[in-house]
Amino acid sequence: MKRVTIRVPATTANLGPGFDAFGCALSLYTDVTFEETDAGLEITGCDEEYTGPDNLAYVSYCAALATMSEELRGIKIHIEAQIPVCRGLGSSAALLVAGAMGANVLRGNKLSTQGLLNITNAMEGHPDNLAPAFYGGLTASMVDNGLPVCVNFPLHPDWEFLALVPDFDLPTTVARQALPTEYDRADAVYNIAHGALVLKALELGDEKLLRNAMQDRIHQPYRKKMIPDYDKIESLIRTTGAAFCLSGAGPTLLCITRNPGLEEKLARKLHDITEANWQMIPLHVEFEGARVISQE
Ligand code: HSE
């Protein structure tokens, strides 16, 4: 029976003002193995609640097979996830990407990466995590006539990322429900301008510009209320000179800097000002997107 393992990087979406558009792949991974069987579905390596047919890797696997007009046979799926679940680091996107790519590889690579992106974007509803998960690096995406169009942007090699991951989760559906459906023109202009300068600052390696540009009026002001101690943590990060944003829909907070040693600088202070337990995960940009790491 054929078997393939797909490795997908974590992703941080939005990067401040780039709501539903910007994303960056990071050095934390989820590996998903797909092994064809005669019949049935078996999912291992995750909590019991995710072992049914609504598992995102399986849903995406089935969608890709349907797009290729390929027959659905039995499948065993094994998940080894480093990416924390429901924390704003692209765990759902990683499963969708792995599922579509796994089906494609097992059935002869009939679909292009753009084709896989189209399938997964139809399920996720926005391409900002999916694009860097497929292509690696820093991406910006738009959806045109229902189809995602994604491009990679240059990124200075010296950036270091520090993810502050709390011990509570925040489902994306809840974090999206907290957002208004309409915005003032001034807020739209603010985000367009700040978004353009975030991309330039990331390219140039300009930390001061990034710190100033990485601000947002579309989602962070509404979501921070769901994250205890957000304002205190932001103030602490800003004293270090690092740029700061919510990672995706949260609750993970992201610091971006070119100065090594941020983790050590924050360690005790973070503990002193917060109630929740925040794990600090140092990360770097992953320039390679989802890939096959073994195949039989
Ligand atoms: N752009 C998305 C959001 C990312 O902020 O809701 C999370 O999936």
Side-chain angles (χ1 to χ4, degrees):
M1 285 294 176
K2 288 199 286 183
R3 176 180 151 130
V4 65
T5 302
I6 310 290
R7 172 165 293 174
V8 189
T11 47
T12 184
N14 302 329
L15 292 160
F19 179 70
D20 277 2
F22 298 172
C24 187
L26 298 171
S27 55
L28 199 62
Y29 306 90
T30 286
D31 293 346
V32 188
T33 300
F34 299 86
E35 183 176 359
E36 292 195 315
T37 60
D38 290 332
L41 168 66
E42 186 184 336
I43 301 178
T44 55
C46 57
D47 286 352
E48 178 71 27
E49 63 179 305
Y50 301 120
T51 57
D54 54 353
N55 178 287
L56 291 177
Y58 181 65
V59 171
S60 181
Y61 176 87
C62 294
L65 288 186
T67 304
M68 293 185 282
S69 303
E70 284 279 330
E71 180 197 1
L72 174 62
R73 297 192 285 264
I75 189 82
K76 270 191 203 172
I77 300 176
H78 180 68
I79 300 170
E80 281 182 38
Q82 281 183 353
I83 307 173
V85 177
C86 273
R87 293 295 195 283
L89 286 165
S91 59
S92 304
L95 293 179
L96 291 173
V97 167
M101 194 178 257
N104 195 38
V105 173
L106 287 173
R107 303 298 172 93
N109 286 305
K110 293 179 180 156
L111 297 170
S112 64
T113 304
Q114 178 69 46
L116 299 177
L117 184 61
N118 295 349
I119 293 166
T120 50
N121 185 59
M123 291 181 277
E124 176 99 317
H126 42 89
D128 48 341
N129 289 102
L130 297 168
F134 274 116
Y135 295 113
L138 172 66
T139 56
S141 310
M142 62 182 183
V143 179
D144 206 24
N145 289 322
L147 292 178
V149 179
C150 306
V151 292
N152 271 107
F153 276 73
L155 198 52
H156 195 280
D158 289 351
W159 290 116
E160 299 193 9
F161 291 69
L162 183 66
L164 310 182
V165 185
D167 56 4
F168 56 87
D169 65 10
L170 178 56
T172 299
T173 44
V174 174
R176 289 180 85 81
Q177 278 161 9
L179 305 184
T181 51
E182 293 181 2
Y183 292 89
D184 281 349
R185 179 167 59 186
D187 291 341
V189 171
Y190 183 96
N191 269 57
I192 292 166
H194 282 69
L197 270 66
V198 159
L199 293 177
K200 199 63 187 172
L202 286 169
E203 176 185 348
L204 296 175
D206 186 333
E207 188 162 341
K208 180 164 181 260
L209 181 61
L210 186 66
R211 188 165 64 239
N212 291 334
M214 194 164 258
Q215 302 196 69
D216 160 74
R217 291 189 183 168
I218 299 287
H219 70 112
Q220 293 181 177
Y222 307 97
R223 289 171 163 171
K224 68 180 187 178
K225 300 165 192 158
M226 296 183 284
I227 301 170
D229 300 320
Y230 180 104
D231 285 327
K232 279 196 252 177
I233 296 172
E234 177 173 8
S235 300
L236 173 62
I237 305 302
R238 290 197 178 279
T239 64
T240 70
F244 168 89
C245 64
L246 191 60
S247 183
T252 291
L253 305 176
L254 193 68
C255 316
I256 308 177
T257 184
R258 291 184 57 181
N259 295 312
L262 182 61
E263 186 182 0
E264 291 72 36
K265 275 185 217 157
L266 291 180
R268 204 177 50 79
K269 290 182 185 160
L270 187 63
H271 181 74
D272 288 348
I273 63 167
T274 61
E275 294 281 318
N277 188 23
W278 293 79
Q279 185 191 2
M280 288 192 273
I281 308 180
L283 299 167
H284 56 80
V285 175
E286 170 55 82
F287 285 95
E288 194 180 346
R291 71 207 85 143
V292 173
I293 57 166
S294 79
Q295 191 173 3
E296 289 166 21

